[in-house]
């Protein structure tokens, strides 16, 4: 018997069924209610400006904390329209909605220690780009990254990380090792090299992403989050 293929539309249909169930339990959102609450973001440049403006609000202590109420929850039960995708580290201090001052339905978050673009994460990013029309992908690294530090320690000592942490180290080793002896702080060098490597990997490994970038419908950028002051700066 030939294997069946689960289409992207069937995945969305399944998600829609769950949304209907949620709406029946609380509110009863219509399809129109799924539209974004703010002015729509129409270009990759507008998407980036919105994120950076949100980060400025966050760092100045003037965050709006948008789209975080029950009304937003009910509105989004009918469907989502995230304008940007984040590929970030699982670090508890690096929460994209908080540091970009965004809310429910705004960002399609993908977080894993070391913000490594493996096949599973790449499929998740492609899904958002293909199905929701997200306009921007931000690879978000941060200073003093523990995954980078663990990789450097393993390289220098010749040791192995315990359990499945070794998988993270193995994924980062090809990125970190070439910059290990460069001038400056080795962890910071590794963080920046990793951001650039993951940005490059997204387009190099994904036809879906590369085509949309070529068409001008999508932009991929790298950014670094400063843990001390909360500022996000573009680095790739």
């Amino acid at each position: 018997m030939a294997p069946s293929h689960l289409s992207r539309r069937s995945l969305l249909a399944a998600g829609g069924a769950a949304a209907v169930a949620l709406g029946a339990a609380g509110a009863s959102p219509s399809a129109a209610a799924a539209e974004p609450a703010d002015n729509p973001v129409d270009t990759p440049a507008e998407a980036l400006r919105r994120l950076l403006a949100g980060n400025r609000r966050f760092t100045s202590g003037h965050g709006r904390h948008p789209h975080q109420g029950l009304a937003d929850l009910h509105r989004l039960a009918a469907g989502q329209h995230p304008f940007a995708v984040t590929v970030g580290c699982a670090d508890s201090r690096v929460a994209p909605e908080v540091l970009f001052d965004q809310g429910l339905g705004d960002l399609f978050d993908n977080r894993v220690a070391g913000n490594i673009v493996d096949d599973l994460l790449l499929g998740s990013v492609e899904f958002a780009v293909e199905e929701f029309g997200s306009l921007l992908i931000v690879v978000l690294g941060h200073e003093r990254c523990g995954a980078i530090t663990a990789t450097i320690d393993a390289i220098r000592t010749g040791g192995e990380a315990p359990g499945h942490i070794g998988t993270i180290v193995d994924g980062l080793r090809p990125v970190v090792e070439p910059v290990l002896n460069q001038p400056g702080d080795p962890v910071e060098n590794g963080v920046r090299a990793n951001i650039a490597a993951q940005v490059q990997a997204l387009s190099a490994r994904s036809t879906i992403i590369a085509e949309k970038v070529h068409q001008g419908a999508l932009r991929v950028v790298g950014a670094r989050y400063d843990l001390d002051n909360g500022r996000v700066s573009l680095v790739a």
Side-chain angles (χ1 to χ4, degrees), residues 109-188:
D109 294 335
N110 299 268
R111 298 178 65 187
V112 64
N115 42 280
I116 302 168
V117 178
D118 60 9
D119 288 342
L120 185 61
L121 189 143
L122 184 58
S124 180
V125 173
E126 287 181 336
F127 183 80
V129 169
E130 185 79 353
E131 294 299 341
F132 307 133
S134 300
L135 299 163
L136 178 71
I137 302 172
V138 180
V139 176
L140 185 62
H142 66 95
E143 67 169 342
R144 302 197 293 271
C145 178
I148 298 292
T149 301
T151 303
I152 292 173
D153 290 344
I155 294 172
R156 285 179 168 173
T157 65
E160 295 183 359
H164 289 83
I165 300 173
T167 304
I168 300 171
V169 170
D170 290 343
L172 291 173
R173 185 187 297 268
V175 175
V176 173
E177 201 160 24
V179 301
L180 191 56
N181 295 317
Q182 288 184 355
D185 179 76
V187 175
E188 180 63 19

